Amino acid sequence: MDSWYNLVVTCQRQGIDVMSAARMIAWAMELYETGGISKEQTGGIELTWGNKEAIAVLIRQIGKKEGFGATLAKNVQEAAAELGEGVEEALNLKGMPVGCTDVLSFRGRTMGAIVNPRGGDEYRARYGSFDNLGSGKNTGMTGMAKPDSWEARSAMAIIEKAQEESRKNGLPDTFTQHDITARGSVAALGNRLIIVSDALGQCKWNTLFLNVGLSIEFQAKVLSAGLGIEISVEDLLAKASRISAQERLFAMMNGLTRDDDTLPPPMINRKMAGAWPEDSVTAEEVDKMKEEFYRAMGWHENSGTPKHDTLKVLGVDHLFSEIQ
């Protein structure tokens, strides 16, 4: 624990993202142990798994962009290319190394990872309390959620509509954590709620994962009191939709396409040892979930581009010409 704490503090004091540094070092250690890179390439550093002295050296090198650390300081594509032909990139989402959570164990997590505009993890459209929606467990929510909250009522309304449709078609109306049904729509709701939390400077643990009462209704009331004007939940969600649309347009103007909203190829159809067999997700399932997400956000299904009508309602239709 002392070693872990000291390494984290070293990262923070150098302005390095702890998670990204950890992922890149883990990737390098795996390459080293499997013969993908040599001791000569690491500058003489013995990159055996768990070598805390080596990790400490690399973190300092990353901060100063010196030695082998200069390679790990690059983005995943550049780092892999620098190490030589045939070296596989670190697992990444939109260029950011994949996080430390299993994004395949819940389709809510899978969906959050797919559409996260910054990549790296699932903490943008994945609302932790929604992971078990439709499973019948804990009133359809995880134990951390309040079933009577605005968030829970809104999410369950999406699930109940999907359950009704399933019953009409003679299909089961109980959805497991691995079921893709309605996950795109729930992710769109989660995306807006998380943007509100981020925009107001709230810690996600206080608003998304823990049962501490900081619901969007509470946030709207506090903001109204502080600003002296009436702000509703609908106002906050509209602002979140506008932020999300502008983020999307900016990313697309800089090269993002619909194809970037996916998992790394090694994670498609992957079955991890010791995991649930249902953890595996197919490319077709990814496509269905993200198309549903696009529809719920008011974006084009075939491109993931915000529709002109959506931008007009949000008051940013002048940006539409930027992507023509």
Side-chain angles (χ1 to χ4, degrees), residues 148-155 189 193 215-217 233-234 237:
D148 61 344
S149 67
W150 186 95
E151 291 86 343
R153 296 195 309 272
S154 301
L189 172 64
L193 293 170
S215 69
I216 191 170
E217 289 177 310
V233 168
E234 290 70 26
L237 293 176

Side-chain angles (χ1 to χ4, degrees), residues 196 216 220 224 230-241:
V196 170
I216 191 170
S224 297
E230 188 64 30
I231 296 176
S232 66
V233 168
E234 290 70 26
D235 293 330
L236 293 179
L237 293 176
K239 296 292 190 294
S241 294

Side-chain angles (χ1 to χ4, degrees), residues 84-102:
E85 189 177 346
V87 172
E88 231 179 88
E89 297 172 359
L91 285 179
N92 69 90
L93 294 163
K94 297 182 175 74
M96 183 176 283
V98 171
C100 297
T101 55
D102 178 9

Side-chain angles (χ1 to χ4, degrees), residues 22-324:
R23 297 162 196 158
M24 291 300 284
I25 292 172
W27 168 68
M29 284 184 160
E30 183 179 359
L31 285 174
Y32 185 83
E33 292 206 327
T34 56
I37 56 174
S38 66
K39 193 172 181 178
E40 183 180 357
Q41 286 174 292
T42 68
I45 301 174
E46 193 78 37
L47 280 187
T48 51
W49 189 260
N51 184 343
K52 56 183 181 292
E53 290 79 15
I55 296 171
V57 170
L58 283 177
I59 289 174
R60 288 192 291 272
Q61 287 188 350
I62 289 171
K64 296 178 180 180
K65 292 188 176 181
E66 294 177 348
F68 186 60
T71 298
L72 299 185
K74 299 178 184 296
N75 65 46
V76 291
Q77 293 88 358
E78 290 174 345
E82 190 167 298
L83 291 177
E85 189 177 346
V87 172
E88 231 179 88
E89 297 172 359
L91 285 179
N92 69 90
L93 294 163
K94 297 182 175 74
M96 183 176 283
V98 171
C100 297
T101 55
D102 178 9
V103 299
L104 299 178
S105 59
F106 293 90
R107 286 299 163 264
R109 292 182 179 180
T110 307
M111 196 61 232
I114 290 168
V115 299
N116 191 340
R118 69 171 182 269
D121 57 52
E122 77 274 23
Y123 298 114
R124 182 51 183 276
R126 180 236 167 175
Y127 209 93
S129 298
F130 297 167
D131 282 345
N132 277 324
L133 279 176
S135 68
K137 300 175 183 176
N138 296 317
T139 321
M141 306 291 289
T142 67
M144 293 186 289
K146 286 185 173 180
D148 61 344
S149 67
W150 186 95
E151 291 86 343
R153 296 195 309 272
S154 301
M156 281 307 298
I158 294 171
I159 293 296
E160 287 166 0
K161 182 179 179 182
Q163 288 174 324
E164 183 180 353
E165 191 66 27
S166 290
R167 286 191 291 269
K168 284 181 181 177
N169 294 321
L171 299 172
D173 63 356
T174 298
F175 311 135
T176 71
Q177 67 197 54
H178 301 104
D179 202 307
I180 69 171
T181 305
R183 299 304 173 194
S185 296
V186 171
L189 172 64
N191 183 48
R192 293 183 176 100
L193 293 170
I194 291 168
I195 289 174
V196 170
S197 179
D198 285 343
L200 295 180
Q202 294 280 0
C203 173
K204 289 184 176 68
W205 281 102
N206 292 339
T207 55
L208 314 184
F209 300 109
L210 298 182
N211 187 8
V212 293
L214 295 185
S215 69
I216 191 170
E217 289 177 310
F218 178 79
Q219 293 175 75
K221 288 177 182 177
V222 171
L223 195 60
S224 297
L227 296 177
I229 57 175
E230 188 64 30
I231 296 176
S232 66
V233 168
E234 290 70 26
D235 293 330
L236 293 179
L237 293 176
K239 296 292 190 294
S241 294
R242 184 161 64 186
I243 290 171
S244 188
Q246 290 180 102
E247 280 180 339
R248 186 72 180 182
L249 290 173
F250 179 81
M252 297 191 89
M253 284 187 285
N254 285 276
L256 181 83
T257 71
R258 182 187 189 281
D259 292 340
D260 293 310
D261 290 331
T262 190
L263 295 174
M267 295 180 74
I268 301 290
N269 290 321
R270 178 178 174 82
K271 292 185 179 180
M272 293 178 62
W276 286 296
E278 300 91 342
D279 270 7
S280 178
V281 63
T282 67
E284 291 75 19
E285 289 173 327
V286 167
D287 266 348
K288 286 181 181 178
M289 288 192 292
K290 72 182 184 184
E291 284 173 6
E292 183 184 354
F293 175 83
Y294 295 156
R295 283 197 302 272
M297 291 300 299
W299 302 352
H300 289 287
E301 291 177 42
N302 62 344
S303 65
T305 308
K307 295 179 179 179
H308 183 262
D309 288 347
T310 299
L311 297 176
K312 190 171 183 179
V313 169
L314 297 174
V316 288
D317 52 312
H318 61 283
L319 297 175
F320 190 76
S321 60
E322 300 289 339
I323 55 172
Q324 296 303 299

